[in-house]
Amino acid sequence: MLRRRREGEAGHNVLLEGKMRDTPRSPTISTQLQQIAQQASDHPAMVFTTLAHRIDVDFLREAYRRVRKDAAAGVDAVTAKDYADELDANLHRLHERLRSGRYQAPPVKRVWLEKADGSRRPIGIPVFEDKIVQRAVVMLMGAVYEEDFYECSYGFRPGRSSHEALKTLRAQCMSGRIGWIIDADISSYFDTIEHGALRAMIQKRINDGGLLRLIGKWLNAGISEAGEITHTHAGTPQGGVASPLLANIYLHHVLDTWYEQEIKPRLRGRSFLIRFADDFIIGCELEEDARRVMAVLPKRFARFGLRIHTAKTQLLQFGKPGRAERRATFDFLGFTHYWGRSRGGHWIVKRKTSRKRLRRTLKQYWQWCREHRHLRFKEQHRKLSMKLRGYYQYYGIRGNYKMLEVLYEEVERAWRYWLSRRGGKHGMSWERYEQLRRLFPLPRPRIVHRV
């Protein structure tokens, strides 16, 4: 079986839930997971049939430690703090229900997030206890699948990040003689994953009845919205702890394995695939290869109930431009990728914040300043500073400083405008704003990622 093992770099442990640590890490649990991973690595064709029994009280306690404690509560309104008040008793009762098969997955609360194009994206919020069980299952299954996933997959994996994907994409385009890019988009991916196909995929590697039953309960738990519960026969709710892993498993079979084992060996020129969750880019050296892949992609995805969005999927020429060539661009992971001249006059691939992302972010800042304009000035400054630092942490890559400056200037303008719109004696003049701005300046743009 052709596989690519993960070679994570130290210092890049991102996208893992569990920012708040309440108990020490369990060396016993870590050893168990390492043993499972070693088995999966040594025996790539092995089917694991006995994993669920490892979920005991200590395992659940470690899962609790890794779950985020600051997320919103589910349909039962129980927060992490509420659950921690009687943590040991709650974990023992949870384990007993799991062991006896009496555990039932509660419905997932649905909320909506606005997208850049004006549409809305549904997000699911499981109850806190369900997050613990999902994290425990993800720990077990992840130990197996991290040995199977290919190097082209970057999303929602320990030791991997979006910036690593961006770095690899740039290196491939510049050094791999890549001339054509397939910028693909999957329509409503998380809502169209077929449950039966997902279960069959998992059973090829993990055929443990206890884990499969839990996954089935989560997929069929239903969605709670405005007091009504609906059930679906496809999809996995975005926002659930187990959803990223299940989504990765699905595309690992649908796309990654298919590309690495069937497509790439048949191409005449060089090629690469980079995938972050459901966003992926395929690069080809030759136009003939790119058009062949472009033609078979919709058919491959249709076999598994998925649809390639034809209007958003494009094939474009992206080789090093000549003097008269039009310079094509494409967006990936929030950045627009394009060819430009370096300071030394050489052609290089540059990145800047995509216009769509920038417009969406500016709209969010404008709305925030409007809704929170009556907070104390120091509190507004503190929260806006946190937001800007977080933005720089992601978008602060080399070559993107000008776009960071655009955001910084627009945020200052929005903040000043809405402070001046406060009614009565709380309104702020331009002179007063300038005085406070010198005492409490917003953090200036900075480059965080040099490569």
Side-chain angles (χ1 to χ4, degrees), residues 98 166 332 346 430:
L98 288 170
L166 292 167
F332 184 61
H346 305 290
W430 171 264

Side-chain angles (χ1 to χ4, degrees), residues 212-237:
L212 291 174
R213 280 192 293 273
L214 283 174
I215 293 173
K217 289 179 180 181
W218 294 326
L219 294 177
N220 297 298
I223 297 171
S224 176
E225 185 175 9
E228 295 185 3
I229 298 177
T230 58
H231 296 270
T232 61
H233 301 288
T236 174

Side-chain angles (χ1 to χ4, degrees), residues 257-267 300 303:
T257 302
W258 172 70
Y259 170 81
E260 293 287 350
Q261 296 187 11
E262 299 184 32
I263 297 299
K264 191 174 182 179
R266 291 181 169 86
L267 300 180
R300 172 67 181 181
R303 287 180 54 189

Side-chain angles (χ1 to χ4, degrees), residues 315-345:
L315 172 63
L316 53 95
Q317 189 173 7
F318 198 72
K320 187 179 297 185
R323 293 183 178 179
E325 290 180 359
R326 179 179 178 271
R327 302 174 192 175
T329 66
F330 66 92
D331 292 347
F332 184 61
L333 297 182
F335 292 92
T336 297
H337 302 254
Y338 64 100
W339 283 95
R341 295 282 191 181
S342 67
R343 290 183 178 180

Side-chain angles (χ1 to χ4, degrees), residues 58-219:
D58 289 336
F59 204 96
L60 290 173
R61 184 173 288 107
E62 175 66 12
Y64 164 83
R65 189 189 70 83
R66 299 189 185 191
V67 171
R68 284 183 57 182
K69 312 300 188 300
D70 57 350
V75 293
D76 61 355
V78 175
T79 65
K81 185 179 181 301
D82 298 333
Y83 199 85
D85 290 340
E86 297 182 6
L87 180 61
D88 286 340
N90 286 332
L91 292 179
H92 276 85
R93 286 193 290 266
L94 175 59
H95 174 252
E96 177 58 29
R97 280 181 283 135
L98 288 170
R99 188 187 62 81
S100 62
R102 292 184 292 109
Y103 180 81
Q104 297 295 325
V108 176
K109 182 169 73 174
R110 169 172 283 178
V111 297
W112 294 88
L113 297 180
E114 186 176 343
K115 298 175 67 174
D117 58 3
S119 61
R120 298 192 303 165
R121 180 179 66 181
I123 297 293
I125 305 176
V127 303
F128 184 77
E129 188 172 68
D130 205 37
K131 293 178 183 179
I132 298 175
V133 183
Q134 289 192 35
R135 175 54 62 194
V137 172
V138 167
M139 288 161 58
L140 287 174
M141 295 181 63
V144 175
Y145 277 103
E146 276 302 311
E147 303 303 319
D148 293 353
F149 288 154
Y150 289 92
E151 286 295 300
C152 61
S153 171
Y154 289 87
F156 305 110
R157 295 180 58 189
R160 317 210 92 193
S161 70
S162 55
H163 290 100
E164 285 186 322
L166 292 167
K167 175 184 175 182
T168 304
L169 174 59
R170 183 174 186 267
Q172 289 279 8
C173 290
M174 290 183 60
S175 62
R177 296 206 301 265
I178 298 301
W180 296 82
I181 290 290
I182 299 175
D183 178 15
D185 183 270
I186 308 174
S187 298
S188 304
Y189 170 62
F190 284 87
D191 297 330
T192 53
I193 295 176
E194 291 188 350
H195 294 173
L198 175 61
R199 183 184 181 92
M201 292 173 185
I202 296 173
Q203 285 179 305
K204 292 179 180 179
R205 192 62 158 138
I206 299 176
N207 195 14
D208 183 304
L211 296 185
L212 291 174
R213 280 192 293 273
L214 283 174
I215 293 173
K217 289 179 180 181
W218 294 326
L219 294 177

